[in-house]
Every structure is written in structure tokens, then in C-alpha cells.
Amino acid sequence: MGYQNIMYEMKEGLAFVTINRPQKLNALNDDVINELFEAFYGIKKDDSVKAVLITGSGDKAFVAGADIKELFELNPITGKAKMLKGQALFSLIENAGKPVVAAINGFALGGGCELSLACTVRFASEDAKFGQPEVNLGIIPGYGGTQRLSRLVGKGRALELILSGDIINAAEAYRIGLVNKIYPKDKLLEEAEKFCRNLMSKGTKALQYAMEAVNKGLNQTLDDGLNLEANLFGLLCATEDMKEGLTAFLEKRKPEFK
Ligand code: COA
């Protein structure tokens, strides 16, 4: 499919997804959501994609939120349906089975912050800004923010951000654990790509199962999560990658995972 609102490029196993509505600060309208669905369905089932780097076009925004113009038309039925659709997209991204690294190059507000929360890790430029300003519009986060933000930074900090609608800078986002790393703007993509390529040198199944154990385990009891972890570990014992990883260590060489 030819995309109009995102850019999609594959380079040596790494998929680059760029939200491309810079004139509207990459706000997520229905077209962007549909194209992201298409892209991530493909990414999930394409074994040649080993990792994903997602960013925003232009130098001002990652994503400045859901498209506020489209929110105007919502009623209780379409409002709920729209949120469920966005949530399904972000769950698809979270459970794509490969690392998705967010390179946050400016505003990550509302749905933009929520999109970053669904990613595996978040790297930010020094001038990035984060927030869930929905209360200022008389609404609440609807693309998973009330759930994922509290799981990531804790209930108190999540409620502070969600209730105040305050916008915080990258340093504060780093301090509360919302972003993993901060880079100068001109180094952000390079560093995010370097990180992706490092992960891509690991066993693909090991990465997939590690993410599954963490993501699913967070929503289970400790005992259920531990059981899941042991099951996934057991499955890895059947892989060539495990044999290669252990053999390479004993032979004092770098593993070459398939
Ligand atoms: N939805 C739709 N359009 C948006 C948007 C959004 N979430 N965020 C920005 N835009 C549009 C603006 O309407 C403007 O379009 P225009 O040039 O046709 O008028 C364009 O993007 C540039 O934004 P502008 O507000 O002029 O930039 P700024 O630098 O003055 O302010 C922000 C930047 C991010 C502070 C401001 O755009 C903003 O508050 N956006 C909304 C953030 C928000 O509430 N997100 C949650 C939505 S649920």
C-alpha cells in the first residue's frame, strides 16, 4: 500500500515508521491510524523485520495528540469506538513481537505520549515535551494513557500528569522514568538506530519472549507471571538460537543468531 500520512522504509531488517503530517504536528487523524494499522500488521507478520524505529516528521513534534478536529464530531457511541480502535492499534504495536523504539523528537502530547508508552523503549531529544493535556479539553486520555502511564511511572505521577494536564520537558520525563534516554536532537535518530541494531544482533525469539513475559506478566499475579516466564524459557530451549548462544560462549566467540 502507498502511504499518504506516514512514511515506511525498510533498511537491513530495521523498519522506519515516520508519522508524516508535520503541518498539523503529526496529529493522529483517522488516516494516520489506518495507515499505522496497515504498517504494523505487516511488521508483525514479516519475519524479515527485526525491529522498528518510530518517529515524527519535521523538527517540532513526535505526535501532538489525537486530531482535535475529529474529536468534535464524536458522540458516546463513536467516541467509545474511536478509543477502542486507537487502543487496538497501540496494543498491536506493544505486542508486535519485535522491539519498537520511539525516537521522540518534539511534542509527545495526548495520543502522542500514549503512542510512545506502547513502544518498547522511549528515547527523547533534549527539546522533547510530554503530557496528557486531555483534561484541558474536557476529556481524558483514551488511547491507553490512564493504564500504561501508571504502569510505567507509578500511580501518583501518572495521576499528577493526567489531572493537571501539565506539559513536562525531557529532563523531567527522564527523571520520572517516562523516557529511557535523552540525546541531542541531531543525534537522536542515529542513537535510536544504533540501539535497534544492537538488539537485532540478539536471538529474535529470545527478544520476543522477553517482551511477552514482561508485557503479559505485568497484568497477571506474580505466580502466573513466573509460570509464564518458565514456560517461555522452556520453549527457548527448543531453539537453534539457544544452542548457538551457549556454544558460542563456550567456544569464546560471538554468537550468530539466525
Ligand atoms: N489536533 C489537530 N491539530 C493540531 C493538533 C492536534 N492535536 N496539535 C496541533 N495541531 C495543529 C494546529 O491546529 C495548527 O494547525 P493550523 O496551522 O492549521 O492552525 C498546527 O498544528 C500547528 O500547531 P500550533 O498550535 O500553531 O503550534 P504551536 O507551536 O503554537 O503549539 C502545541 C504547539 C503542541 C502546544 C499546540 O499545537 C497544542 O496545544 N496542540 C494540542 C495538544 C493537545 O491537546 N493534544 C491532545 C489532544 S487529545
Side-chain angles (χ1 to χ4, degrees), residues 62-77:
F62 174 67
V63 168
D67 191 300
I68 293 172
K69 243 188 184 165
E70 286 184 356
L71 299 181
F72 249 110
E73 297 144 23
L74 297 176
N75 62 42
I77 305 296

Side-chain angles (χ1 to χ4, degrees), residues 103-152:
I104 300 153
N105 55 318
F107 289 110
L109 304 179
C113 188
E114 291 168 300
L115 170 60
S116 80
L117 291 169
C119 294
T120 317
V121 294
R122 286 147 293 282
F123 293 166
S125 59
E126 287 165 340
D127 65 346
K129 300 257 186 324
F130 296 79
Q132 296 289 164
E134 287 88 348
V135 285
N136 297 328
L137 304 170
I139 51 178
I140 62 170
Y143 287 165
T146 62
Q147 304 306 302
R148 288 197 181 90
L149 187 60
S150 48
R151 281 167 171 75
L152 187 65

Side-chain angles (χ1 to χ4, degrees), residues 138-178:
I139 51 178
I140 62 170
Y143 287 165
T146 62
Q147 304 306 302
R148 288 197 181 90
L149 187 60
S150 48
R151 281 167 171 75
L152 187 65
V153 303
K155 180 178 163 183
R157 287 184 170 128
L159 279 171
E160 185 183 350
L161 280 173
I162 291 167
L163 299 187
S164 68
D166 282 352
I167 292 178
I168 59 172
N169 62 23
E172 176 66 0
Y174 177 75
R175 194 186 70 80
I176 66 173
L178 177 48

